[in-house]
Structure formats: structure tokens, C-alpha cells
Amino acid sequence: MSRLRLRQYSRAPIVSWLSILTALLTAASLLNAEPSAAEQRVAEAIKSQQLSVVHFWAPWCSNCQAELKDGGWIKIVKDNPNVHFYFVSVWNGGEDGTAMLRKFEITDQPNVTILADPGPRGQNHIKEFAGVPLSWIPTTWIYKGGDLRYALNYGEIRFSVLQQFLEDSQSEWSHKGEPKID
């Protein structure tokens, strides 16, 4: 009888180790996955000294739709011709949402690039883009010279705030030479 118990228990560690090994291999493959073409393109573009706005959205998202309906995006794109805007559709099965952006005249702007991340929608969707966590849409990031200046990560943007952030991002400032607080 003890032999039977020994066999019964001896299989459990093997199954347990196989489960752990499978989980580790899956995690390693996700960590080593090649970035999508959209992610590669954005990662290269945000290195520019020009301001870049990366806006993550999806056509099915009601918050994203609300931002488009109020005309804020087309106004800010037109008011800032020296800023490049990247509309990256995520969690949308690889579709870029061009049809919806066309309705709001965003597709025809010379300072707009429309991209799609092919990642799946749902529980296994991407959780990081260009090395920055991505957990909600819409999300809007502002870059200059490879530096993330502002990250608006949770919901609809107020365009007056975005405009102020764009203006603030143009300024050059430093704390060098300032006296330290004791």
C-alpha cells in the first residue's frame, strides 16, 4: 500500500514541474517577442526632436468615439502642424480604424500616421508598447527627443490640457545650477 502512495505522490512533482516549466517558457517567449511593425515605427519616430503624440485607441471603444465626435482631435491636429500624431489602434484584431478616422477628417492630415498593433483584443491583449505600460484606452503619450514628456493613461483627453502639454513640451528647462534644498 505504501508503494501505491509513493507512486501517487511521485507523479505530482513531475506534473508540477512541467506546469512551472511551461509557464516559464510561455513568459519567456512573450518577453522575447518581436515588437510589431507599428511598435517599431513608433519607437523610431519618438526619437525625433519634433514633438510626437502617440494616441492609443480602438473604433469599438465608446470613450475613443466620444473624443472623435467632439471634434477635438481634428482641431488639435490642425492647430499643431509641427507635431506629428500617431493614431495606433490596439486591441482591435489588427485593424487600424481608418474608416472611422476618415469620417472625422483625420486621415487626410499631413502630420498624422495611422497604425494598428496586431495584438489580440481581450484578456491576452498587449500590456506594453515601446517599453511603456499600456493598460487602458484611450491613452495619449507626448514625446520629444526620445523622452516621454507626458502620459495621459486613463481615458478621454481634455484638449485644452493636451494643448497646454504640447506647449510645455516645447520648452527647454533644466535644474542644473539651481541651489539644492537642505
Side-chain angles (χ1 to χ4, degrees):
M1 200 173 252
S2 64
R3 237 181 189 185
L4 183 58
R5 281 190 200 157
L6 182 59
R7 285 186 185 165
Q8 186 179 11
Y9 291 117
S10 67
R11 290 185 184 167
I14 292 171
V15 171
S16 211
W17 280 106
L18 285 175
S19 297
I20 292 169
L21 181 61
T22 301
L24 287 172
L25 289 173
T26 301
S29 69
L30 290 173
L31 290 174
N32 293 325
E34 285 293 315
S36 69
E39 188 173 1
Q40 290 174 6
R41 185 148 178 210
V42 167
E44 189 59 35
I46 60 178
K47 294 176 187 174
S48 168
Q49 288 304 312
Q50 174 185 8
L51 278 182
S52 300
V53 172
V54 182
H55 181 65
F56 298 95
W57 75 292
W60 52 263
C61 169
S62 60
N63 292 23
C64 299
Q65 292 171 11
E67 286 183 332
L68 291 168
K69 288 177 189 172
D70 74 7
W73 274 114
I74 190 60
K75 181 175 181 348
I76 204 140
V77 165
K78 286 182 174 183
D79 287 352
N80 295 280
N82 295 326
V83 176
H84 200 92
F85 294 85
Y86 297 87
F87 283 77
V88 183
S89 177
V90 295
W91 310 334
N92 195 37
E95 298 294 322
D96 64 11
T98 297
M100 182 173 285
L101 294 175
R102 186 175 292 118
K103 290 179 188 177
F104 298 96
E105 302 175 15
I106 292 172
T107 57
D108 301 327
Q109 304 309 310
N111 57 335
V112 170
T113 299
I114 299 167
L115 302 165
D117 187 271
R121 180 177 169 192
Q123 188 174 10
N124 297 321
H125 62 265
I126 63 168
K127 293 176 175 55
E128 184 177 291
F129 193 93
V132 180
L134 177 63
S135 59
W136 188 265
I137 56 172
T139 282
T140 306
W141 298 337
I142 302 171
Y143 284 89
K144 183 176 182 187
D147 294 327
L148 180 60
R149 297 290 177 107
Y150 291 97
L152 307 157
N153 292 328
Y154 299 104
E156 295 172 50
I157 188 90
R158 295 182 76 186
F159 291 99
S160 60
V161 172
L162 180 57
Q163 184 62 48
Q164 185 64 55
F165 286 165
L166 291 173
E167 291 169 16
D168 292 347
S169 295
Q170 294 286 14
S171 66
E172 297 294 329
W173 58 270
S174 171
H175 292 288
K176 291 181 181 176
E178 291 181 9
K180 294 189 188 279
I181 298 176
D182 295 323

